[in-house]
Amino acid sequence: MMSISSKIVGYGHCVPQKVLTNDDLSKIVDTNDEWISTRTGIKSRHIANNETTSDLAANAAKMALINAGIDVSDIDLVVLATITPDYTTPSTALVMANKLGIREGVPAFDISAACSGFIYALTQADNAIRLGQASKALVIGAETLSNITDWTDRGTCVLFGDGAGAVVLEATDNPEETNVLATRIFADSKHIETLKTNGGVSTTKSSGFIQMDGKEVFKYAVNALANGAEKALEKAGLNANDVDWLLPHQANIRIIDGTAQKMGFDKAKVLTNIANHGNTSAASIPLTLSQKVNDGTVKKGDIVLLTSMGAGFTWGGAVLKI
Ligand code: UT7
């Protein structure tokens, strides 16, 4: 039997124009550039002004479609990861589909898996393609975390940023062309209280703001990121020596460095954009990936190992051959 798999044919991204520097933040809360830079690696982040999550997603998706040379009318699946939807319903995937002009009948839905959202979304789209349920899919991670950030809490507000990243997946029956080599996703509900919003539709009738036990998240993150990466590599039948680039969720440079060290990766092999974007949750991996592919850092044929960890806790990994 002929087996179908996915290849990535386009990458896109979008960030809001407004930039908030650490010095800007020091005027809002009791903090300073030195603390933020040394503890997190973040120097600035993009913050939405009037842009909604679906606006950022639509722009990232348009860029990915142009990059792929694919017409929007050919898309037959949309999967969008976010924890900052435009509305409670309909999904941000549908709001974005309306903006893009995705044709009637095409399924579009959101995935909520916090910072692991993109790897969860990629997994669902890749599965749909492998089952023959879709042939050209848009997979997007998009967030306006600034809307659920408590701007009076210096322990969290310095960490987050807004943005979106997208890829176009296409079905192929040629194993040589496959470039989503493996995906793995995981969760452990024991940790639902450690990183969460302090509200939600059926509890407080509002979205709430992000709260967390930063130290607990930090401790868990390095192990979870390494675990997601290792499980994905194992599934792909590869080992760390085969990997050209490690692309971890951009949460904190110390978490990224700790993960690279635990896995034995040289820093020069680690892709980051945290300095200028902060933690953009579900957008962090596709945003970094699109930037690094489009600026030529990541080249055709390179093996990129994605790994993420987020609220829940959720985590996961994926192996791509660009
Ligand atoms: O996608 C996952 C999302 N979450 C994360 O990635 C969070 C993971 N955790 C972290 O990144 C780190 O735990 C933080 C960056 C959040 C905090 O770093 P830390 O080294 O764990 O600092 P801390 O919480 O132990 O705080 C040390 C000190 C405290 O003061 P005292 O008690 O020692 O006097 C804090 O009050 O730093 C203080 N502090 C700040 N000072 C200046 C906390 N936030 C700030 C701030 N500016 N923004």
Side-chain angles (χ1 to χ4, degrees), residues 14-21 25 28 44-56 82-86 115 142-153 156-164 197-198 207-211 277-283:
C14 175
V15 292
Q17 276 192 343
K18 185 177 165 192
V19 173
L20 196 67
T21 64
L25 270 169
I28 306 173
S44 63
R45 66 288 289 143
H46 291 255
I47 299 290
N49 212 354
N50 297 312
E51 304 96 332
T52 63
T53 299
S54 69
D55 290 334
L56 300 176
T82 192
I83 53 166
T84 45
D86 286 23
C115 304
E143 303 282 11
T144 52
L145 288 181
S146 57
N147 291 313
I148 56 166
T149 296
D150 177 354
W151 291 101
T152 66
D153 175 17
T156 54
C157 77
V158 301
L159 302 174
F160 304 115
D162 300 338
T197 54
N198 62 357
S207 59
F209 294 120
I210 300 171
Q211 289 186 338
H277 295 279
N279 177 350
T280 57
S281 191

Side-chain angles (χ1 to χ4, degrees), residues 245 268 270-271 288 291-300 302:
W245 302 102
V270 182
L271 299 172
T288 314
Q291 287 173 331
K292 301 297 179 186
V293 170
N294 283 300
D295 75 8
T297 307
V298 174
K299 297 188 172 53
K300 197 160 175 50
D302 284 356

Side-chain angles (χ1 to χ4, degrees), residues 165-187:
V167 297
V168 181
L169 292 191
E170 190 175 284
T172 177
D173 56 15
N174 178 356
E176 296 292 309
E177 285 184 355
T178 305
N179 52 15
V180 180
L181 302 186
T183 64
R184 293 294 308 270
I185 51 174
F186 306 94

Side-chain angles (χ1 to χ4, degrees), residues 29-32 35-36 39-40 115 153-160 195 210 212-219 221 249-252 254-255 279 281 309-311:
V29 287
D30 181 14
T31 190
N32 54 73
W35 192 96
I36 304 171
R39 300 278 175 139
T40 72
C115 304
D153 175 17
R154 69 176 183 172
T156 54
C157 77
V158 301
L159 302 174
F160 304 115
L195 171 56
I210 300 171
M212 67 180 169
D213 180 337
K215 280 204 186 315
E216 276 306 307
V217 178
F218 197 114
K219 266 192 269 168
H249 167 53
Q250 307 289 298
N252 179 320
R254 292 187 292 142
I255 293 175
N279 177 350
S281 191
M309 179 269 174

Side-chain angles (χ1 to χ4, degrees), residues 213-235:
D213 180 337
K215 280 204 186 315
E216 276 306 307
V217 178
F218 197 114
K219 266 192 269 168
Y220 200 88
V222 173
N223 288 329
L225 287 167
N227 180 265
E230 276 154 12
K231 296 284 188 212
L233 267 184
E234 199 179 291
K235 188 171 169 195

Side-chain angles (χ1 to χ4, degrees), residues 248-267:
H249 167 53
Q250 307 289 298
N252 179 320
I253 197 68
R254 292 187 292 142
I255 293 175
I256 294 171
D257 289 348
T259 306
Q261 197 181 10
K262 187 174 166 70
M263 296 191 69
F265 280 103
D266 191 279
K267 268 191 192 180

